[in-house]
Amino acid sequence: MNKIWKFNDSKSNKLILIKDKIIYKGNPKDIDLNFIKLETIDPIYLNNLFSIPFSYIKKIENQKGKNYIKILFGNDSEEQLNIEDEKTKNEIFEFIKSENPKLTYNTKIPTVLNYAKPQLFALLAITAIFLWSLYLAFEIEKGVEYELVSHGKPGIAGLVLIIANFGSVKVIFGYLFLLVLAILALKNKLKSRSETKFLIR
């Protein structure tokens, strides 16, 4: 079964077409879009669209509240079908689901760890650098002298030593500033955590 969706106001993909077990997406000119019909579409025109055969698909994600369907395919490739309307987005997902009986369907809310891993990692990295820098700052204030021996770029140790030389008070205030930014980023990320529908090969 084949089906076509047109989005005249879209800036990313004005056309989404599923034909002969292949997902097509593209951005034709408005004048061309109006004349495109599923029954009469020229096979040559299809060559100008981005295409993903069903057989290449590894996983499809449809998260509630997000304006796209994420498709993972091939060797770690990823593409998005951008659809502003939630109802239409779900319609496209359900159509793909019905045409792909070999894909396993499930739905779940992602865990905090899986969903906000980059933000959590950043928070841990900032805290680790802070503790290391603060320790060195206290030692420097006691009169301990550190000499950085490096062959080439100083790396993380050099960065920590540079931060420590600002003094313990500035290190603490700098950490608190970065901590607030990291917490806000984590909070904003978790706000968007919602039920996600999956199709997995």
Side-chain angles (χ1 to χ4, degrees), residues 10-148:
S10 177
K11 295 181 180 179
S12 52
N13 44 243
K14 294 184 177 181
L15 175 70
I16 295 176
L17 167 67
I18 300 178
K19 180 177 175 62
D20 300 327
K21 303 294 183 182
I22 300 174
I23 300 173
Y24 296 94
K25 60 172 282 190
N27 242 344
K29 295 179 180 178
D30 290 341
I31 191 169
D32 295 329
L33 188 65
N34 294 331
F35 287 102
I36 294 174
K37 293 184 179 180
L38 187 63
E39 300 80 9
T40 58
I41 191 166
D42 191 334
I44 296 176
Y45 180 78
L46 294 178
N47 294 330
N48 297 320
L49 300 174
F50 183 84
S51 62
I52 308 172
F54 281 3
S55 59
Y56 289 11
I57 295 173
K58 292 182 178 179
K59 183 165 72 170
I60 298 176
E61 299 177 10
N62 178 23
Q63 184 178 353
K64 185 177 181 181
K66 296 289 186 181
N67 62 351
Y68 59 82
I69 294 172
K70 184 189 294 185
I71 303 176
L72 290 82
F73 62 98
N75 295 321
D76 300 321
S77 297
E78 181 181 309
E79 192 65 34
Q80 291 181 357
L81 302 179
N82 297 300
I83 309 112
E84 293 293 334
D85 181 65
E86 184 80 14
K87 183 178 179 181
T88 305
K89 180 169 71 90
N90 290 330
E91 177 188 325
I92 293 173
F93 179 83
E94 289 299 323
F95 184 83
I96 296 172
K97 174 185 169 185
S98 66
E99 295 295 305
N100 280 271
K102 292 183 179 180
L103 298 181
T104 302
Y105 170 77
N106 65 61
T107 178
K108 64 180 179 181
I109 297 178
T111 64
V112 171
L113 180 60
N114 287 336
Y115 192 71
K117 191 179 292 182
Q119 289 76 18
L120 290 170
F121 179 78
L123 192 59
L124 290 173
I126 289 170
T127 301
I129 291 173
F130 161 71
L131 293 174
W132 189 1
S133 300
L134 188 62
Y135 169 76
L136 293 181
F138 283 143
E139 292 297 301
I140 291 170
E141 288 169 358
K142 290 177 184 178
V144 177
E145 293 184 1
Y146 290 95
E147 182 180 352
L148 184 65

Side-chain angles (χ1 to χ4, degrees), residues 1 7 24 31 41 151 176:
M1 189 174 177
F7 309 97
Y24 296 94
I31 191 169
I41 191 166
H151 304 284
L176 291 175

